Amino acid sequence: MQIAQISTLNKSQNVSNKRNIASKNITFEGLKVPKTKSMFVFDLDGTLATATTEQLKTIFNKAKSCNSEMVYATGRTFKEFFKLQNKMANKGIELPIPNYLIANNGQFLYENIDGVLIENLAYQEQLIQKTNYNRDIVTQTMRNFAKSDKYKYTQAELNTLENLNEVKTSDPEFFDSKISYYEWNPSKNMAEYFLAHDINIEEFKKEVVDALAQKGCKVKFRENHYSKPVMDACNESILLQANTLRRFEDGSMNALFLCAADKSDGIDFIRKSKGINFSEILMAGNDDNDIPMAKLAQKGAKFICLNDASTRLINYCKNLKENVLVAVKNGADAIIEGLEVFTK
């Protein structure tokens, strides 16, 4: 399917053309008889969690008709998922318990057993077998890089900080480095770092991979580029770490996550355990952490990219030639738009 990035002009014509292309090239076997097993996988914040009660009914009814497992894939922790569920409930919207919850961007997997989400320990065992991920090894390796001459600031550079003493007091170990450890959603399978604006991320990732390989440890990387408004809304300790020496001129900030897994690992584990083909997976997302899901389009899975998605996700999806829809709409509206395109 050719991607259709819809402009604000002549939307109705573009949508019609887009759907005609889709109907010629896309099939979703889960709708056929006998029904093939399939899977719907949706990000929450900014995506499925924007849904109204009626929209949730529409989406879940479509999942049922497609014989689909319903999977939520989120950056939220297990506890944060229930906070979101309660927040929606306070607005009169019931977010159902899914068949599976992929939490912490793929670091943990929970399965619905008799209406209760239970951690799937087999998934954890598989991650360790595949990666030999060891958070202590990862953090020590990053500490070594942070203390190396290549990634340390000179005293002259540090002196440009008006609040140098505060920075030093807040972060005595990393205050003079271009690499700063911080915790956003800490877990045993992930470590998070701020990187100064002038670090070549691709070069740095290669250095990290080589260093960890010597210790028999593998990682997956996830990058986030936080805007100035996002950074300015952080607590004081993070603001001191994300100081002007490390930030870009526009006030934005790079972060690098070293993980045992991403969302695609959780999806693949469920897919294999349920005997689901890649062609029978339909996903939706709106942020950088959804790029691993979008990559599965190259294996035949279908991906809905929201209109207001992050620039990196949209650009990635535009470069894919098949199985991706860059939607006209946002949030749950985009999911329903995608359901109309990818299912019949």
Side-chain angles (χ1 to χ4, degrees):
M1 188 187 83
Q2 296 297 316
I3 293 176
Q5 172 64 51
I6 309 301
S7 68
T8 55
L9 299 176
N10 203 14
K11 284 187 179 179
S12 61
Q13 180 181 350
N14 283 333
V15 171
S16 175
N17 290 341
K18 172 185 61 181
R19 290 177 179 171
N20 288 337
I21 293 171
S23 64
K24 292 177 183 178
N25 294 283
I26 299 297
T27 60
F28 199 82
E29 299 294 336
L31 287 175
K32 295 188 176 181
V33 179
K35 291 181 178 178
T36 302
K37 195 69 179 173
S38 60
M39 179 164 51
F40 284 2
V41 187
F42 300 135
D43 174 49
L44 291 176
D45 290 278
T47 308
L48 186 66
T50 68
T52 64
T53 297
E54 288 304 311
Q55 286 176 321
L56 287 172
K57 287 181 180 178
T58 298
I59 293 166
F60 273 78
N61 285 339
K62 177 62 75 172
K64 184 177 181 180
S65 72
C66 292
N67 195 28
S68 284
E69 300 282 346
M70 180 61 79
V71 181
Y72 301 160
T74 179
R76 287 177 175 263
T77 64
F78 184 66
K79 290 182 179 179
E80 287 174 336
F81 164 70
F82 290 103
K83 288 182 180 179
L84 173 64
Q85 197 179 44
N86 290 335
K87 182 179 179 181
M88 293 181 68
N90 290 335
K91 297 179 180 179
I93 303 170
E94 181 183 351
L95 180 65
I97 295 291
N99 297 109
Y100 292 91
L101 173 69
I102 300 170
N104 292 70
N105 290 304
Q107 310 314 312
F108 300 97
L109 177 66
Y110 300 88
E111 184 175 357
N112 185 336
I113 300 176
D114 297 328
V116 179
L117 289 173
I118 305 295
E119 184 177 359
N120 190 310
L121 298 180
Y123 178 68
Q124 283 298 306
E125 292 176 4
Q126 177 179 285
L127 290 186
I128 298 304
Q129 290 174 0
K130 287 172 59 177
T131 66
N132 196 30
Y133 188 95
N134 183 304
R135 198 172 189 276
D136 291 338
I137 291 176
V138 170
T139 54
Q140 184 57 54
T141 299
M142 291 295 285
R143 185 177 288 109
N144 292 342
F145 279 116
K147 293 181 178 296
S148 67
D149 291 339
K150 180 176 181 179
Y151 294 107
K152 286 185 70 173
Y153 287 113
T154 65
Q155 190 59 52
E157 289 173 319
L158 290 170
N159 288 339
T160 64
L161 285 175
E162 295 180 359
N163 60 342
L164 176 58
N165 288 334
E166 288 181 80
V167 171
K168 185 174 182 179
T169 301
S170 175
D171 191 12
E173 184 172 11
F174 293 97
F175 81 95
D176 59 350
S177 176
K178 296 182 179 183
I179 302 167
S180 176
Y181 170 79
Y182 78 105
E183 291 282 10
W184 199 293
N185 280 326
S187 83
K188 63 181 180 181
N189 293 336
M190 180 172 65
E192 312 164 47
Y193 298 85
F194 282 133
L195 299 184
H197 66 89
D198 55 347
I199 287 182
N200 183 318
I201 293 182
E202 293 307 313
E203 178 184 312
F204 180 64
K205 287 194 295 187
K206 186 179 184 306
E207 292 175 340
V208 172
V209 167
D210 291 344
L212 290 175
Q214 296 177 21
K215 301 174 182 178
C217 182
K218 297 179 181 179
V219 296
K220 283 193 169 184
F221 296 105
R222 182 166 66 83
E223 299 173 38
N224 262 16
H225 185 79
Y226 297 116
S227 66
K228 184 180 187 299
V230 169
M231 294 310 307
D232 289 348
C234 291
N235 63 45
E236 184 177 357
S237 64
I238 289 181
L239 285 173
L240 289 170
Q241 288 178 293
N243 56 61
T244 54
L245 202 55
R246 291 172 174 149
R247 290 205 205 188
F248 287 86
E249 287 187 3
D250 64 2
S252 60
M253 189 79 201
N254 276 337
L256 186 67
F257 299 71
L258 282 68
C259 314
D262 56 37
K263 291 183 179 182
S264 69
D265 291 287
I267 293 170
D268 199 44
F269 183 90
I270 299 167
R271 182 190 73 80
K272 290 177 179 177
S273 66
K274 293 294 183 178
I276 298 172
N277 296 327
F278 278 112
S279 60
E280 303 313 314
I281 300 174
L282 177 61
M283 307 163 291
N286 72 329
D287 212 341
D288 290 2
N289 62 347
D290 297 314
I291 291 176
M293 293 203 297
K295 287 182 178 180
L296 295 179
Q298 298 176 68
K299 297 184 178 182
K302 317 301 187 291
F303 185 77
I304 304 163
C305 176
L306 275 58
N307 182 64
D308 62 349
S310 70
T311 301
R312 289 185 67 229
L313 177 59
I314 290 176
N315 288 340
Y316 182 84
C317 289
K318 283 182 178 179
N319 289 324
L320 297 175
K321 298 184 182 302
E322 296 180 323
N323 303 322
V324 169
L325 168 72
V326 179
V328 175
K329 300 176 181 179
N330 302 325
D333 289 328
I335 294 177
I336 293 173
E337 179 186 346
L339 289 174
E340 292 175 355
V341 169
F342 286 126
T343 66
K344 302 183 181 68

